[in-house]
Amino acid sequence: MAEVKDFIVAIELGSSKVTGIVGQKKPDGSISVLALVKEDSSSFIRKGVVYNIDKTVLCLKNIVKKLEAQLKTRITQVFVGVGGQSIRSVKNSIVKDLPADSIITQDMVVRLMDANGNLDYPDQKIIDVTEQEYRVDTQLQMDPVGIRASRLESNFLNILVRNSFFQNLNKCFETANIKVADMYLAPLALANAVLTEAEKRSGCALIDIGADTTTVSVFWKNVLRHLAVIPLGSSNVTKDIASLQMEEHEAEQMKLKYASAYTDNNDIDPNLKYSIDSARQVESRKFIEIVEARMEEIIENVRYQIPSDYYDKLLGGLIITGGGSNMKDIEQAFITHTHIEKVRVAKFVNATINSRNEQLKARNGMLNTVLGLLLKGDINCAGKNINPNGNLFESEEQSPVQTPDRKPRQLYEKETGTIRTVQEEERAAAAQRQAEEARQAEEARQAEEARQAEEARQAEEARQAEEARRRENSFFNKMKKALTKFGKDIVSEE
């Protein structure tokens, strides 16, 4: 491969595989994939959550080294997708009563966003916020700025993640000495890559069936309305099949060869048997019942996760993707159990991807998320060329790309789906501390000025009182009082 001076690197940490991909964006909007590497992650990532830091660090190092070997160029930073069972969404509303006939300003909206972002959730943190509609008096508005009102209600969808998950993830990249250019919310990166604008506008539910989890993202009027991760995936089907007294790898092969998400009763042959190997067979009816029972459970959980407020508004229907979407008759299974007639399977992203890689050519939905991360990347990740005479896998000090440090972004200052990195979190915390210290110093200054002003006022009042007392006790004042009294006495006697 010729030396490449600019490219984007994305890494997805999945429950079955950690995938690293490198692509070069072209002026026409297409992407040429330069390298693709996968590592098995089943021994250290469960349901999208890192639980063995050491093994994850080793895997990340291997991913980067293998990519660098193909590129013959150092990788200085990577884009990372955040997903898994630790992610969930929670609605929150904040109401502000305004003086009569106030005009809503951007500063008012930002203050409400700050109030929402400062909410404290036990053992969890807000990593992203999606603005919903604002209720201005009695009317719903997407942008309330400039409208005259006496009451403003802001509605937010907060995306939460467990603190331990976020800390472990950052710890892995820090220990591996891999700089994170940006972190993205994987379900939203996927949605941007596979959904059409019409689907998001008219209402749809994106269902990503992975190995250990199924992620449900509900959109309406181009806004994310709900996000949930179900701890069930295609590997559960494999484990159920393995209960028919076979090894798990045999069950996986049986699933890929025979499994169907939906089978009409009239199409079941009671005498048909499926071969496990040359010596063993299993009844097709029993096999079908096991597969369909698990798929029905997954679909019913998906149905439950679609909020009732939007269930009848999904004119864009259901969009299914991920490795689990390859199961035969998956569309019919969803139609049967959700009663939503419009269903499509997203086998590939809505972008032009140029590659000779057979895994990408397969277009089976398994790489859609990492491609979505690649499409969102916007910073060059290329470093120095690798010396062909040196050891490609030697431990070298990485020379980071010379890009200015990004100003710490508040939750309302970044694009939806982008997560602040740990460095930004630290800088934002430092900036917040400085702002708080500045606020306290300003309050102290104002308090001191007020104290001095009060002392001056009291001193002036004391001076005036003393001056009045002196005038009261002066010789001329006493003489005046005596003459006045003498005059009154004379008048009184007369």
Side-chain angles (χ1 to χ4, degrees):
M1 179 185 291
E3 293 175 353
V4 184
K5 298 296 184 182
D6 62 280
F7 51 71
I8 306 295
V9 183
I11 293 180
E12 179 198 4
L13 288 82
S15 299
S16 62
K17 301 284 184 185
V18 173
T19 306
I21 192 169
V22 180
Q24 190 176 50
K25 294 188 175 182
K26 302 297 183 181
D28 61 359
S30 65
I31 289 184
S32 295
V33 175
L34 308 177
L36 177 66
V37 172
K38 288 184 178 182
E39 291 267 328
D40 182 80
S41 63
S42 57
S43 63
F44 51 87
I45 296 179
R46 290 176 184 165
K47 301 188 185 305
V49 178
V50 172
Y51 71 92
N52 188 312
I53 293 178
D54 291 342
K55 288 185 178 180
T56 306
V57 168
L58 182 60
C59 174
L60 291 172
K61 286 182 175 181
N62 289 339
I63 288 281
V64 170
K65 285 179 179 179
K66 288 179 180 180
L67 290 174
E68 288 179 337
Q70 294 184 40
L71 297 166
K72 298 182 176 61
T73 307
R74 292 293 175 203
I75 291 172
T76 60
Q77 52 196 343
V78 300
F79 292 90
V80 181
V82 176
Q85 195 179 351
S86 284
I87 305 293
R88 71 185 184 99
S89 66
V90 176
K91 285 186 176 181
N92 181 50
S93 297
I94 299 177
V95 178
K96 183 174 180 60
D97 291 321
L98 308 172
D101 292 332
S102 295
I103 296 178
I104 298 172
T105 64
Q106 185 63 41
D107 184 61
M108 292 179 186
V109 175
V110 169
R111 286 178 181 273
L112 291 175
M113 291 178 179
D114 283 341
N116 175 74
N118 291 329
L119 285 176
D120 186 26
Y121 294 90
D123 300 323
Q124 299 176 95
K125 66 176 296 178
I126 301 174
I127 59 170
D128 199 15
V129 175
T130 302
E131 293 178 75
Q132 312 291 290
E133 290 92 351
Y134 290 84
R135 187 175 292 277
V136 182
D137 288 338
T138 59
Q139 301 295 319
L140 291 176
Q141 301 284 342
M142 293 303 295
D143 184 4
V145 176
I147 299 176
R148 190 181 299 275
S150 59
R151 185 177 184 274
L152 176 61
E153 178 183 341
S154 55
N155 298 292
F156 302 102
L157 186 71
N158 294 332
I159 311 299
L160 308 181
V161 64
R162 285 203 298 268
N163 286 328
S164 57
F165 165 77
F166 193 69
Q167 291 165 359
N168 286 350
L169 186 63
N170 281 292
K171 181 67 175 176
C172 288
F173 282 92
E174 181 183 343
T175 305
N177 195 29
I178 299 172
K179 181 181 177 183
V180 176
D182 244 334
M183 284 188 175
Y184 296 128
L185 199 58
L188 289 188
L190 173 64
N192 291 336
V194 302
L195 298 181
T196 65
E197 287 300 314
E199 287 170 335
K200 287 192 286 187
R201 184 176 60 252
S202 59
C204 69
L206 175 62
I207 299 116
D208 179 20
I209 307 176
D212 284 352
T213 60
T214 297
T215 305
V216 182
S217 308
V218 179
F219 292 85
W220 188 60
K221 288 188 175 180
N222 281 323
V223 176
L224 178 69
R225 305 294 178 169
H226 184 66
L227 175 63
V229 180
I230 302 165
L232 296 170
S234 58
S235 65
N236 293 94
V237 178
T238 302
K239 291 172 183 175
D240 290 348
I241 296 172
S243 68
L244 297 172
Q245 297 182 339
M246 66 182 79
E247 295 291 333
E248 202 163 300
H249 71 275
E250 295 174 322
E252 180 69 16
Q253 293 302 316
M254 293 281 289
K255 180 184 75 174
L256 296 175
K257 189 174 183 180
Y258 299 115
S260 176
Y262 176 84
T263 305
D264 191 282
N265 284 330
N266 296 325
D267 296 333
I268 298 176
D269 184 349
N271 300 316
L272 180 64
K273 294 185 177 181
Y274 295 144
S275 297
I276 301 173
D277 54 34
S278 58
R280 295 178 298 162
Q281 292 181 320
V282 60
E283 293 180 6
S284 63
R285 176 177 289 277
K286 195 170 185 179
F287 181 89
I288 290 169
E289 288 174 350
I290 286 176
V291 172
E292 286 195 8
R294 181 61 77 177
M295 289 306 301
E296 182 178 351
E297 181 187 15
I298 292 173
I299 295 170
E300 287 294 339
N301 274 276
V302 168
R303 180 180 180 181
Y304 176 78
Q305 286 299 334
I306 299 175
S308 57
D309 293 347
Y310 303 105
Y311 201 88
D312 296 330
K313 298 177 181 178
L314 303 183
L315 302 182
L318 305 179
I319 295 87
I320 311 167
T321 190
S325 67
N326 292 297
M327 188 175 289
K328 182 182 176 183
D329 291 322
I330 191 77
E331 300 101 316
Q332 187 58 50
F334 271 91
I335 292 171
T336 301
H337 298 299
T338 65
H339 307 293
I340 295 176
E341 295 293 327
K342 191 172 184 180
V343 178
R344 80 172 176 93
V345 176
K347 295 290 188 182
F348 206 61
V349 297
N350 300 327
T352 302
I353 306 295
N354 302 312
S355 175
R356 297 180 181 179
N357 189 286
E358 294 300 323
Q359 296 177 72
L360 284 166
K361 286 183 177 180
R363 296 186 172 230
N364 55 16
M366 298 179 71
L367 293 171
N368 285 353
T369 298
V370 76
L371 285 171
L373 298 172
L374 187 64
L375 288 164
K376 281 187 69 66
D378 57 358
I379 302 175
N380 182 21
C381 301
K384 298 178 179 178
N385 295 334
I386 293 176
N387 181 3
N389 299 319
N391 182 1
L392 293 177
F393 297 97
E394 64 187 355
S395 177
E396 292 188 3
E397 181 73 21
Q398 295 288 333
S399 54
V401 93
Q402 296 301 314
T403 55
D405 282 340
R406 181 187 283 121
K407 177 186 175 183
R409 296 167 293 182
Q410 300 300 323
L411 290 172
Y412 58 83
E413 291 179 318
K414 60 185 183 54
E415 181 186 356
T416 299
T418 304
I419 301 168
R420 292 193 304 198
T421 62
V422 67
Q423 291 81 9
E424 279 188 285
E425 291 279 354
E426 292 171 353
R427 293 200 301 272
Q432 188 172 0
R433 286 194 302 271
Q434 291 175 356
E436 180 64 19
E437 290 171 358
R439 184 188 65 79
Q440 291 176 353
E442 177 63 18
E443 288 180 353
R445 185 188 66 78
Q446 292 176 357
E448 178 63 18
E449 288 181 353
R451 186 188 64 79
Q452 292 176 358
E454 178 63 18
E455 288 179 351
R457 184 188 65 78
Q458 291 177 356
E460 178 64 18
E461 288 180 353
R463 186 189 64 77
Q464 291 176 358
E466 176 64 19
E467 187 176 332
R469 187 186 64 78
R470 288 177 180 176
R471 284 198 303 269
E472 183 73 17
N473 297 325
S474 67
F475 171 78
F476 292 105
N477 194 49
K478 289 179 179 180
M479 180 65 71
K480 179 181 177 183
K481 286 182 178 180
L483 290 173
T484 302
K485 184 176 182 301
F486 176 73
K488 286 182 178 181
D489 291 343
I490 292 176
V491 172
S492 175
E493 289 176 357
E494 291 178 352

